[in-house]
Amino acid sequence: MLQKSFATLLFFGLILVTTPSFSQVSSTSVQLSYADLADLAADTPLVIDAQIRKAIKVKPERAPDIRQGHQRFYVEARVINLVRGQGGIGQDISYLIDIPFDFKGRVAKLRKRHVLLFAYPVTGKPGSIQLVAPDAQVDWTAENANILRNILTQAVADDAPPRITGVGNEFYVAGSIRGEGETQIFLNTATGAPVSLSILRRPGQQPRWSVALGEIVDESGTTPTSDSLLWYRLACSLPHQLPAKATAQLEDQDLTMAREDYGVVLRGLGPCGRTRPVTGSGNLPPSP
């Protein structure tokens, strides 16, 4: 039955009062970019393919923190496939979601929608999940599913690239002839795993850059392909310019070359392609 007991509804009200702001969620029906889906999925503990079975309106007094122009729902869904999640999950799940009103003051129908959910488990409440971001319910499409499969396959691999948290140190070494030189940039990561960039200049040739995942930095490094997890980690995390702390030890001429070489990397990566606000589990530093 759609109606819940008074005690259950009261319980819903208690948890809604203390719901953090990022649980104010709206379903995303537009096609998201690779970076958008990677933001939601790359480091999220639960990724669920599900179909919504029930959507119960929550009274405004039970949702004092709801954004204006939204209706909060308590949603029950049937799990079709646990795309990612250690320890498994039950067949039936529940969560809260805020849906915006349209220009006619109505909300989109939720029941029977096929969705992808990006969530945390709720401690002590089996079957309950908390969405990781304000748009962490995404309509299932074949394209979304294919992109997501690509992201998660790379994310769980033994050589998965870690999340980039900043630029560490940078060094520039001039070559023995004019126009020759190499810049090495060592990046900070969430796990402490080494990631470095190398930019090599030779006379009469275009600068060539590569990335290395490991302690050894040499010419065997590769350039990441677009719409790969390594590309995403770099393109959506690297700052627009080198921080002063990373280049403090460089002389003026070396600093100029290092900055130019860093620009080679940024241009090679291209734009991040993110279209949603930076919330969720993936890369934290914002990039357009």
Side-chain angles (χ1 to χ4, degrees):
M1 293 177 64
L2 189 62
Q3 297 296 324
K4 300 292 181 179
S5 69
F6 175 80
T8 306
L9 287 175
L10 179 60
F11 173 70
F12 293 161
L14 290 175
I15 62 172
L16 288 170
V17 170
T18 57
T19 298
S21 60
F22 56 76
S23 287
Q24 299 180 6
V25 193
S26 57
S27 180
T28 299
S29 58
V30 298
Q31 179 58 52
L32 298 177
S33 70
Y34 183 97
D36 292 330
L37 287 169
D39 278 341
L40 291 168
D43 303 299
T44 293
L46 293 176
V47 179
I48 303 166
D49 178 356
Q51 185 174 42
I52 296 175
R53 301 183 68 197
K54 297 179 182 179
I56 304 169
K57 286 185 178 181
V58 177
K59 293 181 179 180
E61 58 267 27
R62 296 295 187 186
D65 58 339
I66 194 169
R67 293 169 293 171
Q68 186 175 7
H70 289 70
Q71 170 64 55
R72 179 163 296 174
F73 288 88
Y74 172 80
V75 175
E76 295 180 353
R78 175 64 53 88
V79 175
I80 297 173
N81 181 32
L82 180 59
V83 182
R84 182 182 194 177
Q86 294 184 346
I89 194 171
Q91 187 177 21
D92 296 309
I93 56 174
S94 60
Y95 57 95
L96 303 174
I97 184 168
D98 291 357
I99 300 296
F101 293 106
D102 64 18
F103 70 97
K104 293 183 178 180
R106 298 179 298 193
V107 294
K109 181 182 177 182
L110 293 178
R111 188 170 178 269
K112 295 185 178 181
R113 285 176 73 166
H114 188 182
V115 295
L116 296 167
L117 305 170
F118 307 88
Y120 302 113
V122 177
T123 303
K125 296 182 175 64
S128 295
I129 62 172
Q130 182 176 2
L131 303 184
V132 301
D135 53 353
Q137 173 178 290
V138 176
D139 282 345
W140 187 98
T141 66
E143 185 171 358
N144 280 338
N146 287 335
I147 294 173
L148 189 59
R149 187 179 303 111
N150 174 282
I151 292 168
L152 294 180
T153 298
Q154 296 178 54
V156 300
D158 291 338
D159 60 349
R163 180 167 57 85
I164 307 300
T165 58
V167 177
N169 296 315
E170 178 160 357
F171 303 94
Y172 174 78
V173 178
S176 57
I177 59 177
R178 185 179 179 84
E180 186 179 62
E182 183 177 8
T183 296
Q184 291 185 354
I185 304 171
F186 296 90
L187 304 178
N188 298 326
T189 66
T191 63
V195 177
S196 59
L197 305 170
S198 178
I199 305 93
L200 186 64
R201 290 181 180 268
R202 291 196 172 116
Q205 300 180 18
Q206 292 294 320
R208 184 169 63 87
W209 73 277
S210 61
V211 57
L213 303 177
E215 299 289 350
I216 300 176
V217 182
D218 55 27
E219 295 186 25
S220 65
T222 61
T223 301
T225 57
S226 296
D227 290 354
S228 66
L229 190 60
L230 179 55
W231 167 86
Y232 158 77
R233 294 295 199 197
L234 296 170
C236 299
S237 294
L238 292 177
H240 297 302
Q241 55 187 337
L242 289 170
K245 183 178 180 181
T247 59
Q249 78 284 359
L250 297 179
E251 300 294 335
D252 289 347
Q253 186 172 356
D254 291 350
L255 176 58
T256 298
M257 293 305 302
R259 285 173 172 167
E260 290 183 8
D261 285 348
Y262 186 68
V264 169
V265 173
L266 294 184
R267 290 190 294 274
L269 289 168
C272 166
R274 180 180 285 134
T275 65
R276 55 182 291 278
V278 188
T279 53
S281 68
N283 289 348
L284 299 181
S287 177

